[in-house]
Amino acid sequence: MKKLRAVIVDDEQNARENLSILLSEHCPNVEVMAQADNVSAAIEEVRQKVPDILFLDIEIGEGSGFDVLEKISGGATEVIFTTAFNHYAVKAFKFSAVDYLLKPIDIDELALAISRAEARIKQSQINQRLENLMNNLSGQDRKMKKIGLPGQGGIQYFLLSEIIRLQSQSNYTTFYLTQGREILVSKTLKEYDEMLSDQGFVRVHQSHVINLEQVSQYQKSDGGYVILTDGSNVPLSKSYKENFLKALGNI
């Protein structure tokens, strides 16, 4: 089987060497072609080696991994970010369905990221995902942000404004979108609640998260429920009522 060619970019030598050792010992399908410790060297190595996978540190000395991305966008390289900081960018990665590894790198997470990267290389969805990531990091208006939802046929991207509500289906989540569309995703509602909680979405029930901009009516009768723009009725639990009313008042 053809090996995946990789380049590692990190300004810390120990980090580069540790990742290289993990790959050689646990990921035999990956071959490290080169390493780089700064932005300009990283750009040069990627252009020369044209790797299948780029392991890219977020903070590289005086620059960042995003500086590298801006120069190599349009290529056929799958990017897996590495970072020691679990801060704002991580949420953008989740939105864009872009893989990231928190340091110290977990072997199982590394193997899973590589497996997903290999699948996406075959699906040729690399450029769209990175473009969406850069857009989501640009600080643009929430209505213009897109979220990547993985499915059997690959990743589909939707504007947040297209999402009406989300409903739990055990370990799956159904997205109800405008124009009567539905998408079933193999992630829990809890994951998406955390991801969307500061994007105008609020949990109103153990099984329901709604887009506040899609609220048509709030009814106090029958224990309280919310009517959305698609005509659906969503129950409002007592435990979530106070948070919902507060969020509704801030629109």
Side-chain angles (χ1 to χ4, degrees):
M1 184 178 65
K2 181 182 177 182
K3 286 193 173 185
L4 298 171
R5 296 155 49 90
V7 168
I8 298 174
V9 178
D10 197 305
D11 61 352
E12 296 183 4
Q13 183 178 350
N14 287 341
R16 296 195 306 274
E17 292 178 351
N18 288 340
L19 178 53
S20 183
I21 291 171
L22 288 178
L23 290 170
S24 64
E25 293 181 349
H26 303 283
C27 305
N29 61 324
V30 178
E31 181 180 4
V32 178
M33 306 301 296
Q35 299 181 18
D37 62 1
N38 60 69
V39 172
S40 59
I43 294 169
E44 185 66 22
E45 291 292 359
V46 171
R47 287 175 174 172
Q48 286 188 5
K49 302 297 192 304
V50 192
D52 298 302
I53 299 177
L54 173 63
F55 292 95
L56 186 60
D57 190 17
I58 294 177
E59 298 183 1
I60 313 170
E62 298 300 320
S64 76
F66 303 116
D67 297 328
V68 177
L69 276 188
E70 289 176 357
K71 298 296 183 180
I72 67 168
S73 59
T77 298
E78 172 73 14
V79 178
I80 299 175
F81 286 91
T82 59
T83 177
F85 306 99
N86 190 357
H87 53 49
Y88 77 97
V90 168
K91 183 169 288 189
F93 298 154
K94 291 181 178 180
F95 260 92
S96 307
V98 172
D99 270 313
Y100 66 95
L101 298 169
L102 291 176
K103 301 175 186 176
I105 294 174
D106 179 81
I107 296 171
D108 293 334
E109 290 294 327
L110 174 62
L112 184 59
I114 291 171
S115 177
R116 287 195 292 251
E118 188 172 19
R120 286 193 288 256
I121 289 170
K122 294 176 181 178
Q123 294 167 353
S124 301
Q125 288 194 319
I126 298 169
N127 295 341
Q128 184 182 6
R129 291 167 51 254
L130 292 180
E131 180 183 351
N132 192 64
L133 172 64
M134 298 303 284
N135 287 339
N136 285 342
L137 285 170
S138 67
Q140 62 183 353
D141 185 85
R142 177 170 62 86
K143 292 181 180 180
M144 296 302 294
K145 281 191 175 182
K146 289 185 178 181
I147 187 170
L149 302 181
Q152 290 184 346
I155 300 169
Q156 293 179 274
Y157 290 88
F158 300 94
L159 291 169
L160 297 187
S161 58
E162 295 181 274
I163 302 171
I164 297 174
R165 63 187 179 95
L166 297 74
Q167 184 170 352
S168 173
Q169 307 285 346
S170 186
N171 290 326
Y172 292 79
T173 299
T174 298
F175 280 73
Y176 292 88
L177 308 167
T178 54
Q179 301 176 359
R181 296 167 294 170
E182 297 180 16
I183 302 291
L184 181 65
V185 182
S186 58
K187 287 187 178 182
T188 65
L189 184 67
K190 181 178 184 294
E191 291 180 76
Y192 285 112
D193 180 26
E194 293 173 351
M195 197 184 306
L196 295 166
S197 61
D198 60 353
Q199 300 294 323
F201 289 75
V202 63
R203 195 159 190 165
V204 295
H205 186 275
Q206 188 66 26
S207 300
H208 299 276
V209 169
I210 64 171
N211 183 349
L212 289 170
E213 292 186 351
Q214 296 287 350
V215 173
S216 177
Q217 295 181 47
Y218 160 54
Q219 295 289 339
K220 297 181 180 179
S221 59
D222 299 325
Y225 61 94
V226 181
I227 301 176
L228 300 171
T229 55
D230 63 350
S232 58
N233 291 5
V234 177
L236 177 60
S237 296
K238 289 183 179 179
S239 56
Y240 294 101
K241 185 175 181 180
E242 181 179 351
N243 187 50
F244 164 71
L245 292 177
K246 181 179 179 181
L248 194 64
N250 291 331
I251 295 180

